[in-house]
Amino acid sequence: MSNILVIGANGQLGSELVIALRNKFGSNHVWATDIRKPQGYEEQFALLDVMDAPALHDFVQTHKIDQIYHLAAMLSAKAEQQPLAAWELNMQGLLNVLEIARQHPAIKVFWPSSIGAFGPSTPKDNTPQTTVMDPNTVYGISKLAGERWCQYYHEKYGVDVRSVRYPGLIGYRALPGGGTTDYAVDIFYKAIQGETFHCFLKADTYLPMMYMDDAVQATLQIMAAPAGQIKIRSSYNLAAMSFSPAEIYAGIKQHYPDFDIVYEPDYRQAIADSWPRSIDDSAARQHWGWQHAYGLEELIEVMLENLKIKLSVVN
Ligand code: AKB
């Protein structure tokens, strides 16, 4: 039985992935770690900073860890405000994890890349797995460099590292923080709370997106696949749907006819404009059987249903 370490477990993806990993492997085999304690009681939680390499090393040895999900990172919009801090966290954190995996060959690593690794010269529609990548955000540069490091550690040292390029992730359990695609989560809160939504992207800005359950399934699936099926050791394109603010607004408005939106694009528009509109993820589908379950309609249904419950509990 595996012993699993999730780094950055309090984040939007981490808080959902920990639940899924515990369902699969048993609670006492999954350590959730972060630099702050989560709200409420949490079993098998430890404070751990990925930047503290000796502490990370001790933790891995003490708990006989053989799978690491390294999710701690600064996202695209926030990273533009603190470029050097973002570079330090996003790069050194990954290198610390890869180094531990190099020293402990039994450890399998998951590390998320992103559509942010693409850039303005990348073909925007049905973006191929292998193509021009010229990211012009700090986040994107760190993701592209991270992909190269993953492939390097795999080829030079045999590290079993696996990665996907997530699109924007949308879930109801935890809020995202500091991303360019975060609007697509926030819009649901505003609709349910009866407020006008101020959208920081233009109405027609198409971006690749994914419901959180699909993202979690993809993560479990790529990590469970036999090593021979993982033919790409930088990072796999991954897709489910693409939509614009105008489209998701129209879908939500069918449930909340009085819901209003105003478009107030800010610096995040340039980030979104540098990213693909849609992604070709056929390699992930062929190599390890990836399939998504949620499109825009299903996403809207499941988000509204669950957020209504969540917000009525909170209020
Ligand atoms: C962001 O918007 O920064 C992230 C991402 C697409 O990687 N959600």
Side-chain angles (χ1 to χ4, degrees), residues 196-207:
T196 297
F197 180 56
H198 295 257
C199 185
F200 58 72
L201 296 181
K202 288 192 226 157
D204 60 352
T205 313
Y206 269 84
L207 286 172

mmCIF file with all atom_site columns, all heavy atoms in Angstrom, residues 196-207:
data_model
loop_
_atom_site.group_PDB
_atom_site.id
_atom_site.type_symbol
_atom_site.label_atom_id
_atom_site.label_alt_id
_atom_site.label_comp_id
_atom_site.label_asym_id
_atom_site.label_entity_id
_atom_site.label_seq_id
_atom_site.pdbx_PDB_ins_code
_atom_site.Cartn_x
_atom_site.Cartn_y
_atom_site.Cartn_z
_atom_site.occupancy
_atom_site.B_iso_or_equiv
_atom_site.pdbx_formal_charge
_atom_site.auth_seq_id
_atom_site.auth_comp_id
_atom_site.auth_asym_id
_atom_site.auth_atom_id
_atom_site.pdbx_PDB_model_num
ATOM 1   N N   . THR A 1 196 ? -24.386 41.520 -8.990  1.00 0.00 ? 196 THR A N   1
ATOM 2   C CA  . THR A 1 196 ? -23.862 41.694 -10.351 1.00 0.00 ? 196 THR A CA  1
ATOM 3   C C   . THR A 1 196 ? -22.452 41.144 -10.403 1.00 0.00 ? 196 THR A C   1
ATOM 4   O O   . THR A 1 196 ? -21.675 41.342 -9.459  1.00 0.00 ? 196 THR A O   1
ATOM 5   C CB  . THR A 1 196 ? -23.836 43.197 -10.711 1.00 0.00 ? 196 THR A CB  1
ATOM 6   O OG1 . THR A 1 196 ? -25.177 43.664 -10.697 1.00 0.00 ? 196 THR A OG1 1
ATOM 7   C CG2 . THR A 1 196 ? -23.224 43.445 -12.083 1.00 0.00 ? 196 THR A CG2 1
ATOM 8   N N   . PHE A 1 197 ? -22.107 40.464 -11.495 1.00 0.00 ? 197 PHE A N   1
ATOM 9   C CA  . PHE A 1 197 ? -20.756 39.939 -11.626 1.00 0.00 ? 197 PHE A CA  1
ATOM 10  C C   . PHE A 1 197 ? -19.898 40.894 -12.445 1.00 0.00 ? 197 PHE A C   1
ATOM 11  O O   . PHE A 1 197 ? -20.236 41.229 -13.572 1.00 0.00 ? 197 PHE A O   1
ATOM 12  C CB  . PHE A 1 197 ? -20.781 38.558 -12.283 1.00 0.00 ? 197 PHE A CB  1
ATOM 13  C CG  . PHE A 1 197 ? -19.415 37.960 -12.438 1.00 0.00 ? 197 PHE A CG  1
ATOM 14  C CD1 . PHE A 1 197 ? -18.585 37.797 -11.339 1.00 0.00 ? 197 PHE A CD1 1
ATOM 15  C CD2 . PHE A 1 197 ? -18.935 37.585 -13.688 1.00 0.00 ? 197 PHE A CD2 1
ATOM 16  C CE1 . PHE A 1 197 ? -17.309 37.263 -11.463 1.00 0.00 ? 197 PHE A CE1 1
ATOM 17  C CE2 . PHE A 1 197 ? -17.657 37.044 -13.825 1.00 0.00 ? 197 PHE A CE2 1
ATOM 18  C CZ  . PHE A 1 197 ? -16.851 36.888 -12.709 1.00 0.00 ? 197 PHE A CZ  1
ATOM 19  N N   . HIS A 1 198 ? -18.795 41.351 -11.842 1.00 0.00 ? 198 HIS A N   1
ATOM 20  C CA  . HIS A 1 198 ? -17.830 42.204 -12.545 1.00 0.00 ? 198 HIS A CA  1
ATOM 21  C C   . HIS A 1 198 ? -16.738 41.295 -13.096 1.00 0.00 ? 198 HIS A C   1
ATOM 22  O O   . HIS A 1 198 ? -15.954 40.743 -12.322 1.00 0.00 ? 198 HIS A O   1
ATOM 23  C CB  . HIS A 1 198 ? -17.243 43.251 -11.600 1.00 0.00 ? 198 HIS A CB  1
ATOM 24  C CG  . HIS A 1 198 ? -18.280 44.217 -11.119 1.00 0.00 ? 198 HIS A CG  1
ATOM 25  N ND1 . HIS A 1 198 ? -18.404 45.491 -11.615 1.00 0.00 ? 198 HIS A ND1 1
ATOM 26  C CD2 . HIS A 1 198 ? -19.286 44.062 -10.218 1.00 0.00 ? 198 HIS A CD2 1
ATOM 27  C CE1 . HIS A 1 198 ? -19.431 46.095 -11.038 1.00 0.00 ? 198 HIS A CE1 1
ATOM 28  N NE2 . HIS A 1 198 ? -19.981 45.251 -10.176 1.00 0.00 ? 198 HIS A NE2 1
ATOM 29  N N   . CYS A 1 199 ? -16.742 41.131 -14.411 1.00 0.00 ? 199 CYS A N   1
ATOM 30  C CA  . CYS A 1 199 ? -15.841 40.154 -15.033 1.00 0.00 ? 199 CYS A CA  1
ATOM 31  C C   . CYS A 1 199 ? -14.561 40.836 -15.493 1.00 0.00 ? 199 CYS A C   1
ATOM 32  O O   . CYS A 1 199 ? -14.615 41.822 -16.228 1.00 0.00 ? 199 CYS A O   1
ATOM 33  C CB  . CYS A 1 199 ? -16.540 39.499 -16.230 1.00 0.00 ? 199 CYS A CB  1
ATOM 34  S SG  . CYS A 1 199 ? -15.553 38.192 -16.949 1.00 0.00 ? 199 CYS A SG  1
ATOM 35  N N   . PHE A 1 200 ? -13.413 40.304 -15.078 1.00 0.00 ? 200 PHE A N   1
ATOM 36  C CA  . PHE A 1 200 ? -12.135 40.948 -15.430 1.00 0.00 ? 200 PHE A CA  1
ATOM 37  C C   . PHE A 1 200 ? -11.620 40.534 -16.805 1.00 0.00 ? 200 PHE A C   1
ATOM 38  O O   . PHE A 1 200 ? -10.530 40.922 -17.215 1.00 0.00 ? 200 PHE A O   1
ATOM 39  C CB  . PHE A 1 200 ? -11.079 40.722 -14.338 1.00 0.00 ? 200 PHE A CB  1
ATOM 40  C CG  . PHE A 1 200 ? -10.767 39.277 -14.020 1.00 0.00 ? 200 PHE A CG  1
ATOM 41  C CD1 . PHE A 1 200 ? -10.045 38.492 -14.900 1.00 0.00 ? 200 PHE A CD1 1
ATOM 42  C CD2 . PHE A 1 200 ? -11.181 38.721 -12.806 1.00 0.00 ? 200 PHE A CD2 1
ATOM 43  C CE1 . PHE A 1 200 ? -9.739  37.174 -14.608 1.00 0.00 ? 200 PHE A CE1 1
ATOM 44  C CE2 . PHE A 1 200 ? -10.878 37.399 -12.502 1.00 0.00 ? 200 PHE A CE2 1
ATOM 45  C CZ  . PHE A 1 200 ? -10.149 36.626 -13.404 1.00 0.00 ? 200 PHE A CZ  1
ATOM 46  N N   . LEU A 1 201 ? -12.414 39.703 -17.521 1.00 0.00 ? 201 LEU A N   1
ATOM 47  C CA  . LEU A 1 201 ? -12.071 39.358 -18.916 1.00 0.00 ? 201 LEU A CA  1
ATOM 48  C C   . LEU A 1 201 ? -13.170 39.852 -19.837 1.00 0.00 ? 201 LEU A C   1
ATOM 49  O O   . LEU A 1 201 ? -14.315 40.024 -19.410 1.00 0.00 ? 201 LEU A O   1
ATOM 50  C CB  . LEU A 1 201 ? -11.924 37.844 -19.075 1.00 0.00 ? 201 LEU A CB  1
ATOM 51  C CG  . LEU A 1 201 ? -10.786 37.173 -18.298 1.00 0.00 ? 201 LEU A CG  1
ATOM 52  C CD1 . LEU A 1 201 ? -10.766 35.672 -18.597 1.00 0.00 ? 201 LEU A CD1 1
ATOM 53  C CD2 . LEU A 1 201 ? -9.427  37.801 -18.610 1.00 0.00 ? 201 LEU A CD2 1
ATOM 54  N N   . LYS A 1 202 ? -12.838 40.040 -21.122 1.00 0.00 ? 202 LYS A N   1
ATOM 55  C CA  . LYS A 1 202 ? -13.833 40.454 -22.117 1.00 0.00 ? 202 LYS A CA  1
ATOM 56  C C   . LYS A 1 202 ? -14.807 39.318 -22.395 1.00 0.00 ? 202 LYS A C   1
ATOM 57  O O   . LYS A 1 202 ? -14.461 38.136 -22.243 1.00 0.00 ? 202 LYS A O   1
ATOM 58  C CB  . LYS A 1 202 ? -13.132 40.830 -23.429 1.00 0.00 ? 202 LYS A CB  1
ATOM 59  C CG  . LYS A 1 202 ? -12.372 42.132 -23.364 1.00 0.00 ? 202 LYS A CG  1
ATOM 60  C CD  . LYS A 1 202 ? -11.991 42.539 -24.790 1.00 0.00 ? 202 LYS A CD  1
ATOM 61  C CE  . LYS A 1 202 ? -10.551 42.969 -24.846 1.00 0.00 ? 202 LYS A CE  1
ATOM 62  N NZ  . LYS A 1 202 ? -9.957  42.865 -26.167 1.00 0.00 ? 202 LYS A NZ  1
ATOM 63  N N   . ALA A 1 203 ? -15.988 39.692 -22.885 1.00 0.00 ? 203 ALA A N   1
ATOM 64  C CA  . ALA A 1 203 ? -17.081 38.732 -23.088 1.00 0.00 ? 203 ALA A CA  1
ATOM 65  C C   . ALA A 1 203 ? -16.695 37.542 -23.969 1.00 0.00 ? 203 ALA A C   1
ATOM 66  O O   . ALA A 1 203 ? -17.156 36.423 -23.763 1.00 0.00 ? 203 ALA A O   1
ATOM 67  C CB  . ALA A 1 203 ? -18.274 39.456 -23.712 1.00 0.00 ? 203 ALA A CB  1
ATOM 68  N N   . ASP A 1 204 ? -15.843 37.788 -24.961 1.00 0.00 ? 204 ASP A N   1
ATOM 69  C CA  . ASP A 1 204 ? -15.583 36.729 -25.945 1.00 0.00 ? 204 ASP A CA  1
ATOM 70  C C   . ASP A 1 204 ? -14.236 36.030 -25.731 1.00 0.00 ? 204 ASP A C   1
ATOM 71  O O   . ASP A 1 204 ? -13.683 35.442 -26.656 1.00 0.00 ? 204 ASP A O   1
ATOM 72  C CB  . ASP A 1 204 ? -15.633 37.330 -27.363 1.00 0.00 ? 204 ASP A CB  1
ATOM 73  C CG  . ASP A 1 204 ? -14.587 38.425 -27.535 1.00 0.00 ? 204 ASP A CG  1
ATOM 74  O OD1 . ASP A 1 204 ? -13.943 38.815 -26.529 1.00 0.00 ? 204 ASP A OD1 1
ATOM 75  O OD2 . ASP A 1 204 ? -14.397 38.888 -28.676 1.00 0.00 ? 204 ASP A OD2 1
ATOM 76  N N   . THR A 1 205 ? -13.712 36.065 -24.528 1.00 0.00 ? 205 THR A N   1
ATOM 77  C CA  . THR A 1 205 ? -12.408 35.438 -24.257 1.00 0.00 ? 205 THR A CA  1
ATOM 78  C C   . THR A 1 205 ? -12.571 33.934 -24.011 1.00 0.00 ? 205 THR A C   1
ATOM 79  O O   . THR A 1 205 ? -12.953 33.511 -22.915 1.00 0.00 ? 205 THR A O   1
ATOM 80  C CB  . THR A 1 205 ? -11.753 36.082 -23.005 1.00 0.00 ? 205 THR A CB  1
ATOM 81  O OG1 . THR A 1 205 ? -11.838 37.500 -23.113 1.00 0.00 ? 205 THR A OG1 1
ATOM 82  C CG2 . THR A 1 205 ? -10.318 35.643 -22.846 1.00 0.00 ? 205 THR A CG2 1
ATOM 83  N N   . TYR A 1 206 ? -12.282 33.158 -25.024 1.00 0.00 ? 206 TYR A N   1
ATOM 84  C CA  . TYR A 1 206 ? -12.410 31.689 -24.912 1.00 0.00 ? 206 TYR A CA  1
ATOM 85  C C   . TYR A 1 206 ? -11.199 31.101 -24.212 1.00 0.00 ? 206 TYR A C   1
ATOM 86  O O   . TYR A 1 206 ? -10.061 31.406 -24.579 1.00 0.00 ? 206 TYR A O   1
ATOM 87  C CB  . TYR A 1 206 ? -12.508 31.056 -26.302 1.00 0.00 ? 206 TYR A CB  1
ATOM 88  C CG  . TYR A 1 206 ? -13.935 30.924 -26.748 1.00 0.00 ? 206 TYR A CG  1
ATOM 89  C CD1 . TYR A 1 206 ? -14.575 31.994 -27.343 1.00 0.00 ? 206 TYR A CD1 1
ATOM 90  C CD2 . TYR A 1 206 ? -14.642 29.751 -26.533 1.00 0.00 ? 206 TYR A CD2 1
ATOM 91  C CE1 . TYR A 1 206 ? -15.895 31.902 -27.726 1.00 0.00 ? 206 TYR A CE1 1
ATOM 92  C CE2 . TYR A 1 206 ? -15.962 29.647 -26.914 1.00 0.00 ? 206 TYR A CE2 1
ATOM 93  C CZ  . TYR A 1 206 ? -16.575 30.732 -27.507 1.00 0.00 ? 206 TYR A CZ  1
ATOM 94  O OH  . TYR A 1 206 ? -17.874 30.637 -27.873 1.00 0.00 ? 206 TYR A OH  1
ATOM 95  N N   . LEU A 1 207 ? -11.436 30.273 -23.216 1.00 0.00 ? 207 LEU A N   1
ATOM 96  C CA  . LEU A 1 207 ? -10.328 29.568 -22.553 1.00 0.00 ? 207 LEU A CA  1
ATOM 97  C C   . LEU A 1 207 ? -10.716 28.117 -22.294 1.00 0.00 ? 207 LEU A C   1
ATOM 98  O O   . LEU A 1 207 ? -11.893 27.822 -22.042 1.00 0.00 ? 207 LEU A O   1
ATOM 99  C CB  . LEU A 1 207 ? -9.996  30.245 -21.215 1.00 0.00 ? 207 LEU A CB  1
ATOM 100 C CG  . LEU A 1 207 ? -9.261  31.583 -21.279 1.00 0.00 ? 207 LEU A CG  1
ATOM 101 C CD1 . LEU A 1 207 ? -9.188  32.210 -19.896 1.00 0.00 ? 207 LEU A CD1 1
ATOM 102 C CD2 . LEU A 1 207 ? -7.863  31.420 -21.876 1.00 0.00 ? 207 LEU A CD2 1
#
